Amino acid sequence: MTQLITTDLVELDQNLGNAPETVIRHLASKVAATGRASEVEGLFADAFAREQKTATGIPGGIAIPHCRSAAVTVPTLAMARLNPKVDFGAKDGPADLVFFIAAPDGADQEHLKLLSKLARSLIKKDFTAALRNASSQEEIVELVDGALADKPAAHAAAAPADAVPVGAGVGAAGASAVGAPAGASAGSAARGPKRLVAVTACPTGIAHTYMAADSLVAAAKEVGVDLQVETQGSSGAKALDPAVIAAADAVIFAVDVDVRGKERFAGKPVINAPVKRGIDEPDKMVQEALAAADNPHARRVPHFGAEEQAEHEAEEKGEHIGQKLKKALLTGVSYMIPFVAGGGLLIALGFLMGGYLITKYADTIVVQNSLFNLPTEFPDNAWGPLGAYLGAVLFKIGALSLGFLVPALAGYIAYAIADRPGIAPGFVAGAVAGFMGAGFLGGIVGGLLAGYIAHVVGRLQVARWLRGLMPVVIIPLLASLVASGLMFVILGGPIVAITNGLNSWLSGLTGAGAIALGVILGLMMCFDLGGPVNKVAYSFAVAGLGAATIDNQAPWQIMAAVMASGMVPPLAMALASTVLNKKLFSLAEQENGKAAWLLGASFISEGAIPFAAADPLRVIPASMLGGAVTGAISMAAGVGSKAPHGGLFVFFAIDNFLMFVVSIIVGVVVTALSVIALKRWAVKKTVDTVEPVPVTV
């Protein structure tokens, strides 16, 4: 097997700068220089993106930046002993020992196990003491190889006589309980120790997963508690024995990703935290788990069976009614958007090929014609008979997809409230709203009604023989009947009137009124860059697309203003950080700026989040200013978009594309110049202290 570390990959007592990115870049360059990576920039970008997700500093003056990268050709360790130290985000201060773990995307299991073993060794005080005392690169390599082979460190500091080996019992099913500590009372010894189980997992699954596991085990042993850990890492996971889980008093989830097989722990008191807390504060997490085990009202892992609600009531405690409402609405919108995005683009393609009058011909063409029997009657502006036929097919598929807009919105709002039993009543209530012409407002009301009623019915105590029928028959029946009945009998009429009034008002907006609406939408889109306010403006625009026609183009114009405004922040940050004034931005921001060009052009507002997170008091106001300008210009010029997403790449679906681009350019320039001015002349903070947020394309 290829050696993981060599003397060429070790730096001793070097000054590698005062920021994590400079250290990571230097170590990435060493990996590439030894032929173990194909390029420096790709490896650095992947490693620093991982660093931005969760700081890799751990207690004891240690940092473990790590990543999987397509640039890595051989699993590799690079090590630096720093002078001066660099802050990698550990609570106890900066780090002087840095291990950079670089794994290929397809690393084999044996290499991953060795990398994980090294990470676990770094929480052992004797090992880190030996690393600090080493006088040569050869000695460092020898120590690391010894740790990977489970050999004792040659220069280990003397361990306390009562020290417990860290990591004992991790993943071992049915391990014996640890005895009570020396100071425990006879009564506690007689009762036996508490038993805990835990799951640790991080996105990369190389370092933090295993270090958190060992830290939790060691902390539990200090207080005489038996703790078994399941590490769900890249080198595989050995599932905890069901008997161990059944005997546990509580469970700890120290994870940054979803727990696989979470239903195995259903009903157990649970402590949830990021994986890094398992390294930084394992003793506190153990104490919290012990307290939860004795608390009958503690939060518990929800049940996932058909006879139980998927979310336990305890998870809802502490949530404000506004938070619950917002969560339900955003859930509905998130599930609705794919219907609208696909449907909107298909309709736009249908218009492109079949002409804008294809709406009058589509039903007849798709039923009576085929590729071998092309239509003879079709709009004059279609791309001939073949274009008319394909346009009609695309338009009809898109229209049918958009037909799910209101039912999907209502169905998944209800799902967010009552879980799976709420889906059917929600869809039915949404269909009723669509049938009555109540639009997306009716869908929201119907979804909330259906979800709440399904939730209430689901809490009824019924005979055991009836429980199996509750989620599949009784809850859908009663919730559909009550929610949809209320929509038909009482609520539908007033909501239809409100919807018609809103549509009439939007259709009549011209001049100053339309411009003011554009300003408001632009401000909302740029306020939180993909957050709730941004989503409200976007949902408002998307939900209105279904009502747009050739005679009522206001919804298309609103969609265009929203999309153009949402493109401004990432494009402006890209312009400012890569073209106009690079010196005002950190190295990480410059890297993010390169990606922001594509993100902005694609209408992904989140591309500006790294800049807003680093400097919100300058970036957000500047973005809102540019977004307002763009929204105003777009509405004033009557730009329309039949597509709900895609940015510049759906040019064929945008009316007056030239003014669409002009409005974006003006807003981008305004924002870029504003943020540069604020950074130059407003009170600044040191760039190196900023911890940017990663961007995923």
Side-chain angles (χ1 to χ4, degrees):
M1 184 178 293
T2 306
Q3 191 175 10
L4 291 175
I5 188 169
T6 65
T7 54
D8 294 333
L9 295 165
V10 178
E11 290 274 16
L12 292 182
D13 305 316
Q14 296 295 312
N15 183 347
L16 300 185
N18 59 357
E21 54 260 46
T22 61
V23 177
I24 294 173
R25 182 180 287 279
H26 180 85
L27 294 177
S29 67
K30 290 189 76 67
V31 174
T34 57
R36 292 166 173 257
S38 58
E39 58 166 328
V40 176
E41 289 304 317
L43 176 55
F44 166 74
D46 290 335
F48 196 58
R50 173 64 186 87
E51 185 72 24
Q52 291 170 305
K53 289 178 181 176
T54 307
T56 57
I58 63 173
I62 303 167
I64 315 176
H66 56 280
C67 71
R68 286 172 172 267
S69 176
V72 178
T73 56
V74 179
T76 300
L77 299 173
M79 183 266 188
R81 196 167 66 195
L82 303 178
N83 185 14
K85 299 180 180 181
V86 174
D87 187 359
F88 275 80
K91 289 188 176 182
D92 63 346
D96 62 332
L97 293 179
V98 179
F99 270 90
F100 178 43
I101 301 177
D105 273 341
D108 61 82
Q109 291 297 305
E110 290 304 313
H111 275 116
L112 290 172
K113 287 178 180 178
L114 289 177
L115 294 171
S116 304
K117 185 180 290 185
L118 172 76
R120 302 169 90 153
S121 297
L122 288 172
I123 65 172
K124 299 179 181 179
K125 294 181 180 179
D126 57 348
F127 180 61
T128 55
L131 292 173
R132 289 189 171 95
N133 292 330
S135 57
S136 66
Q137 283 119 328
E138 290 79 7
E139 200 171 333
I140 293 289
V141 173
E142 182 183 350
L143 285 167
V144 172
D145 286 343
L148 297 178
D150 291 324
K151 296 177 182 177
H155 301 274
D162 59 347
V164 179
V166 176
V170 176
S176 60
V178 179
S185 67
S188 64
R191 287 194 303 269
K194 290 283 189 183
R195 295 187 176 189
L196 303 177
V197 291
V199 175
T200 60
C202 71
T204 309
I206 296 174
H208 285 66
T209 299
Y210 303 95
M211 298 176 72
D214 287 347
S215 298
L216 288 167
V217 168
K221 285 191 174 184
E222 288 182 5
V223 294
V225 173
D226 176 31
L227 186 144
Q228 304 292 320
V229 184
E230 179 178 314
T231 51
Q232 297 185 353
S234 295
S235 58
K238 181 178 180 182
L240 286 167
D241 190 302
V244 173
I245 297 175
D249 297 291
V251 59
I252 295 173
F253 292 150
V255 296
D256 288 334
V257 294
D258 289 338
V259 175
R260 299 194 293 271
K262 192 175 182 179
E263 65 277 2
R264 295 171 296 154
F265 305 91
K268 296 289 183 184
V270 62
I271 300 298
N272 268 307
V275 67
K276 195 167 186 296
R277 189 173 180 234
I279 303 171
D280 293 342
E281 299 178 342
D283 51 344
K284 291 185 179 179
M285 292 194 71
V286 169
Q287 291 299 331
E288 290 170 6
L290 293 175
D294 293 328
N295 181 4
H297 304 294
R299 181 180 179 183
R300 295 175 182 270
V301 180
H303 289 274
F304 293 85
E307 296 182 0
E308 307 267 0
Q309 290 183 329
E311 292 295 330
H312 192 272
E313 295 174 16
E315 291 191 2
E316 300 178 355
K317 290 185 178 179
E319 270 194 331
H320 188 274
I321 183 63
Q323 293 174 317
K324 294 179 183 178
L325 181 62
K326 182 180 76 173
K327 183 189 295 184
L329 292 177
L330 291 181
T331 299
V333 169
S334 67
Y335 280 100
M336 172 196 76
I337 285 175
F339 290 100
V340 182
L345 289 171
L346 287 169
I347 286 176
L349 288 170
F351 282 139
L352 179 67
M353 301 182 71
Y356 288 123
L357 296 178
I358 194 64
T359 55
K360 297 180 179 179
Y361 297 84
D363 287 359
T364 301
I365 289 175
V366 296
V367 172
Q368 298 183 359
N369 299 105
S370 68
L371 285 173
F372 307 102
N373 176 29
L374 296 176
T376 55
E377 294 186 13
F378 51 83
D380 295 335
N381 53 353
W383 291 4
L386 179 61
Y389 177 72
L390 295 177
V393 170
L394 292 171
F395 172 82
K396 196 60 188 175
I397 295 172
L400 291 171
S401 177
L402 277 183
F404 286 101
L405 187 156
V406 176
L409 175 66
Y412 287 105
I413 286 175
Y415 165 73
I417 298 172
D419 205 73
R420 285 175 294 179
I423 293 179
F427 265 86
V428 173
V432 170
F435 172 77
M436 297 186 71
F440 78 98
L441 289 178
I444 292 172
V445 173
L448 292 173
L449 270 176
Y452 177 73
I453 294 167
H455 178 71
V456 171
V457 174
R459 294 178 62 184
L460 297 176
Q461 298 296 321
V462 297
R464 187 176 184 84
W465 63 270
L466 198 57
R467 290 178 189 173
L469 295 175
M470 288 291 287
V472 294
V473 177
I474 297 174
I475 296 176
L477 172 64
L478 294 180
S480 297
L481 177 63
V482 177
S484 298
L486 287 173
M487 289 294 296
F488 269 126
V489 177
I490 299 175
L491 299 173
I495 296 174
V496 169
I498 294 172
T499 300
N500 291 337
L502 179 62
N503 289 336
S504 299
W505 175 68
L506 291 175
S507 301
L509 278 178
T510 56
I515 294 173
L517 180 60
V519 169
I520 293 170
L521 293 173
L523 292 171
M524 293 176 70
M525 286 300 296
C526 300
F527 175 72
D528 53 2
L529 305 174
V533 176
N534 172 287
K535 286 292 189 290
V536 167
Y538 180 68
S539 303
F540 171 69
V542 168
L545 283 178
T549 63
I550 297 298
D551 299 325
N552 175 25
Q553 299 189 19
W556 290 337
Q557 294 171 3
I558 291 170
M559 189 72 252
V562 162
M563 186 152 62
S565 300
M567 294 166 66
V568 166
L571 289 174
M573 295 305 111
L575 178 64
S577 64
T578 65
V579 178
L580 297 182
N581 199 326
K582 297 181 181 180
K583 294 181 180 179
L584 290 175
F585 299 87
S586 69
L587 177 63
E589 287 175 322
Q590 292 175 37
E591 292 294 325
N592 284 325
K594 296 174 185 177
W597 284 111
L598 178 60
L599 295 174
S602 305
F603 179 42
I604 300 176
S605 303
E606 289 85 347
I609 286 179
F611 302 90
D615 196 2
L617 296 181
R618 294 169 184 76
V619 172
I620 290 178
S623 298
M624 292 175 68
L625 179 61
V629 171
T630 294
I633 295 175
S634 178
M635 290 296 288
V639 178
S641 173
K642 302 175 187 68
H645 215 291
L648 298 178
F649 299 99
V650 291
F651 60 91
F652 56 85
I654 297 175
D655 301 326
N656 201 350
F657 183 69
L658 176 61
M659 285 307 299
F660 179 74
V661 174
V662 168
S663 69
I664 294 170
I665 291 174
V666 173
V668 166
V669 172
V670 168
T671 293
L673 294 178
S674 299
V675 78
I676 288 173
L678 289 171
K679 283 181 175 288
R680 280 182 178 175
W681 294 301
V683 178
K684 296 195 295 184
K685 58 185 176 183
T686 305
V687 151
D688 289 338
T689 64
V690 171
E691 205 172 297
V693 176
V695 176
T696 303
V697 179

